[in-house]
Structure formats: structure tokens, C-alpha cells
Amino acid sequence: MSDPAALLLGDLREESEEVDRLVAELDDTGWSLPTPAAGWSVAHQVAHLTWTDTAALLAVTDEAGFAEQAARALAAPDSFVDEGAEAGAVLPPVRLLARWREGREQLLRALRAAPPGARFPWYGPPMSAPSMATARLMETWAHGQDIADALGVRREPTARLRHVAWIGVRARDYAYLVRGEQPPTAPIRVELTGPGGELWTYGPEGAEQRVTGPALDFCLLATQRAHRADLAVRAEGPDADRWLDIAQAFAGPAGPGRAAKKG
């Protein structure tokens, strides 16, 4: 029987390697290209992944060290993400890439060695090792999308999107709470079409409210990599409709999202 934890960590490794291939052969000009995130170059995107992988490693291996870092970060909630990215982006690309590779391998080893049932602190709710791995995969995919957009590359969606979709659904209540709103209690059925045409479902089948559409589009929405108006995700019911306006798969303050491309 396959080990679900090992499969998840394998998917995280593959997602990281896919993004690595996007940047590995870039020259300095390529690393400096602007991405859709305002003020962030390709180097900023990789620096951010490096910073958050390091934070996750601290959370898994050194709770006190993570608490100190989190306290510094939360003291400047509007700037700590940009400051972390800026600190890494000034490094020569070869050093930044080496640092990211080393950090993500250390994190994979730490997650693999984590005892079953252990929970680790984070900027949102505490996480299990599988949840931490899923969150890292989600963020790697999302920032990889920023890099691909900057390079004009179209990435083929893979079954790894299932992890991104799962965390997007699980974070529904968080999207409300981070905005100071009360999450609705009514269940929502989510039906997404995966890259191979398979149906991914979440929530009770008999729920009156629904979200439907391609899994890729839902993932782009939940990671705020595209505006709802540009995606084929549909809502049935007022709570489902509001959720699609504020969907957020990542921890931290509510993001500004992306402007609509359609007129």
C-alpha cells in the first residue's frame, strides 16, 4: 500500500523541481524580470520561497526559534513579507538558488522525520506535518505561477493541483476571519474538474450552495493569482458567491488580489 505522507512529500519535491527548472538557466536579466506581484522580480519570488521554507523548517525543528521569528514578523505585518523577499533578492542568483535548494531539502527531511500526530506553529493555525507540506506545495505552485507569468511560460496543470484545491477549500473560514467577518455556517459543495477530466469533490453532496469549475481556475482564484472575472469558477448561492470574492488559501493578511483582465 502506498504511503500517503511519502506521496505528498514526493509531490512537494516535484513541484519545487518544476519551479527550479523555470529559473535554473536564467541569466541576470531573467532574474530581474518583473512578475505580476507589484515590486517583485523573479528573484524576489525565489527569495520568498527560500524565506518561507526556512521559517517552516524552524517551526518543525525549533519551536522557540520560530516563535522569535514570528514575533518579529508579526510586529510588522504589512512589511515583513516584502522585507524577507528583498533581503534574498539582492543575493547573486547562483547563491540564492543554492540557498533555496538547500533549504527545501532540509525541510523535506524534517517533515519526513516528524513524529505522527505532531503539530507545529505557524502564522495561522498550528499545522501537522502533512498540512505543512501541503501549504508549502501550495505556495510553491503559486509563486511558480508568478515566475511563469513573468517568463511568458504556460505550465501544464498536474494532479498536484489537488493539494492546492484542498487547502483552498479548507481555508474557507479563514478567508472570512482574516477580514473580520463571521464565516457562514451553511455547507458548500465544491465540484472541480481536474487536469485529466476527473471530478474532485468537497463538502456534502446535498448542499444547496455550490462552487463548480476547472480545478486550475479554482486554484488560481484561491491563491489570488487571477481575478474571478477571468476564471470559469461559478457559484450557486449567496455564501458561495461571497466566498469566491474573498477566497484565500494562504496565511497572513488578506491580499489585494489581481486586477481583472476582461473589460
Side-chain angles (χ1 to χ4, degrees), residues 123-125 170-179 183 248-253:
Y123 300 102
R170 287 291 299 271
R172 188 189 78 161
D173 286 359
Y174 181 79
Y176 287 88
L177 295 172
V178 77
R179 290 166 174 79
Q248 175 176 330
F250 50 88

Side-chain angles (χ1 to χ4, degrees), residues 130-225:
S131 292
M132 182 73 78
T134 303
R136 296 309 311 132
L137 191 154
M138 175 273 296
E139 191 162 22
T140 301
W141 178 82
H143 289 281
Q145 186 63 45
D146 291 335
I147 293 169
D149 287 343
L151 300 176
V153 174
R154 183 187 181 277
R155 298 190 298 173
E156 288 297 325
T158 74
R160 296 191 299 272
L161 284 178
R162 182 186 292 273
H163 305 297
V164 183
W166 179 86
I167 203 169
V169 172
R170 287 291 299 271
R172 188 189 78 161
D173 286 359
Y174 181 79
Y176 287 88
L177 295 172
V178 77
R179 290 166 174 79
E181 300 180 24
Q182 188 63 32
T185 57
I188 296 177
R189 172 75 166 183
V190 179
E191 297 181 349
L192 305 175
T193 304
E198 66 279 19
L199 189 65
W200 301 344
T201 62
Y202 312 85
E205 186 174 1
E208 294 183 359
Q209 303 195 57
R210 291 178 176 255
V211 166
T212 59
L216 173 61
D217 286 21
F218 178 80
C219 293
L220 289 168
L221 181 69
T223 58
Q224 297 186 1
R225 262 51 193 183

Side-chain angles (χ1 to χ4, degrees), residues 5 8-13 56 60 107-108 111-112 120 127-140 163 166-167:
L8 172 56
L9 292 176
D11 283 349
L12 174 56
R13 181 188 296 278
V60 174
L107 177 59
L108 281 170
L111 289 171
R112 190 175 296 112
F120 308 105
M127 291 188 180
S128 65
S131 292
M132 182 73 78
T134 303
R136 296 309 311 132
L137 191 154
M138 175 273 296
E139 191 162 22
T140 301
H163 305 297
W166 179 86
I167 203 169

Side-chain angles (χ1 to χ4, degrees), residues 59-150:
V60 174
T61 63
D62 182 0
E63 187 170 340
F66 176 80
E68 291 179 7
Q69 185 192 73
R72 292 193 299 270
L74 296 177
D78 295 327
S79 62
F80 81 91
V81 171
D82 286 332
E83 290 170 357
E86 189 65 38
V90 299
L91 295 173
V94 65
R95 285 184 57 195
L96 175 57
L97 184 56
R99 185 173 294 185
W100 178 41
R101 288 170 173 170
E102 179 181 4
R104 73 190 197 226
E105 282 300 317
Q106 290 177 336
L107 177 59
L108 281 170
R109 289 195 295 269
L111 289 171
R112 190 175 296 112
R119 298 187 69 80
F120 308 105
W122 196 238
Y123 300 102
M127 291 188 180
S128 65
S131 292
M132 182 73 78
T134 303
R136 296 309 311 132
L137 191 154
M138 175 273 296
E139 191 162 22
T140 301
W141 178 82
H143 289 281
Q145 186 63 45
D146 291 335
I147 293 169
D149 287 343

